[in-house]
Amino acid sequence: MKSEAFHYGDGIDQFVGHLVWDDSREEPAPCVLIAPAFGGLSDFERARAEDLAKLGYVALAVDYYGDGKRAASPEEAQRLMAGLQADRTVLARRMGAALEAARALPQVDEGRIGAMGYCLGGKAVLDLARTGADLRACVPLHGVYDRPNFETQTMCAAVLVLHGWDDPLAPPSALEALAAELNEHCADWQVLGFGHTGHAFTNPNAKDSASGMIYSATASSRAWTALTGFLAETFEGAASA
């Protein structure tokens, strides 16, 4: 495996992601973007990039705050997130920049690119798909589903929503609204809901059961199995570059 800091831009801002791939592979490989939770790119997403690279993917953990910024506290994370929430076209533009930067990499099969994201990152990959971006797969994990301040376009991506049923940030009504949106704009979508499961269920550091932010080893394992199976199935049906 080879990994490195990956610098890219959107013509306005500059970003520092984390790129991992198998440099012994001769042919271009499918690529997965990984959008982090609201604290910004961390060791958690870097580890998931390593895991995906071991499965044969090029993995790019993205930086949607700019300049590799990482929140030092929950309060700073809330402030940074609020800045992106104020205008979701900015978040979509930054995710689009990561997509285009990945597409230009020689080790990437440009016809097979997907995106997955955690928490705010789940919203980020949904917003990317909502722009109609040329994306094969979109997987929000315990994401947040509210509609952006732009019109949803026909989605190219197949969508898999990995959802904790007791998530306080995405109650059943929010999931139902997302399902209606997907049914209108997405030809291939599915939801896998985990019972008795809250927000941040993939994060071993989530330990606040009173607020519904709690890790679940079972749901996390099942989500990973569903995610990797979905990526394999979706990319197998996509045309190679």
Side-chain angles (χ1 to χ4, degrees):
M1 294 298 110
K2 186 170 183 179
S3 63
E4 64 184 25
F6 181 65
H7 296 259
Y8 60 101
D10 64 359
I12 300 173
D13 299 304
Q14 296 298 310
F15 308 97
V16 185
H18 181 72
L19 183 68
V20 189
W21 73 101
D22 181 354
D23 62 347
S24 70
R25 182 177 177 129
E26 296 183 358
E27 296 298 321
C31 177
V32 183
L33 309 179
I34 306 172
F38 79 136
L41 181 54
S42 72
D43 289 342
F44 177 83
E45 291 84 19
R46 293 185 184 94
R48 299 295 75 73
E50 297 279 349
D51 292 338
L52 287 170
K54 290 174 184 175
L55 296 176
Y57 300 111
V58 178
L60 174 58
V62 308
D63 164 29
Y64 49 54
Y65 286 142
D67 298 321
K69 191 174 288 140
R70 163 76 182 164
S73 67
E75 292 76 21
E76 184 180 8
Q78 289 286 352
R79 180 180 60 79
L80 290 170
M81 180 173 66
L84 285 183
Q85 295 271 42
D87 182 0
R88 298 262 289 280
T89 64
V90 174
L91 178 58
R93 184 188 76 228
R94 292 177 176 181
M95 290 300 300
L99 173 62
E100 293 311 310
R103 195 185 308 282
L105 290 168
Q107 61 266 45
V108 168
D109 179 343
E110 65 179 24
R112 294 189 291 170
I113 303 178
M116 57 182 282
Y118 299 93
C119 308
L120 177 60
K123 178 180 293 190
V125 298
L126 278 171
D127 278 3
L128 178 60
R130 284 163 165 149
T131 68
D134 185 9
L135 191 70
R136 299 280 74 76
C138 171
V139 187
L141 298 98
H142 44 83
V144 184
Y145 309 139
D146 57 297
R147 298 282 286 265
N149 61 334
F150 58 85
E151 291 296 320
T152 300
Q153 305 301 308
T154 298
M155 296 184 185
C156 297
V159 176
L160 169 63
V161 180
L162 296 171
H163 175 75
W165 192 255
D166 296 332
D167 190 333
L169 301 185
S173 59
L175 182 62
E176 183 178 1
L178 176 63
E181 179 188 2
L182 293 173
N183 218 37
E184 181 178 358
H185 298 285
C186 180
D188 181 359
W189 66 272
Q190 56 189 296
V191 175
L192 177 57
F194 302 107
H196 309 291
T197 302
H199 192 69
F201 61 78
T202 63
N203 184 354
N205 294 319
K207 300 175 180 177
D208 188 358
S209 57
S211 66
M213 313 290 173
I214 187 72
Y215 173 65
S216 168
T218 299
S220 183
S221 175
R222 289 173 176 171
W224 184 255
T225 298
L227 165 72
T228 53
F230 177 74
L231 291 175
E233 174 194 343
T234 305
F235 287 143
E236 182 180 5
S240 299

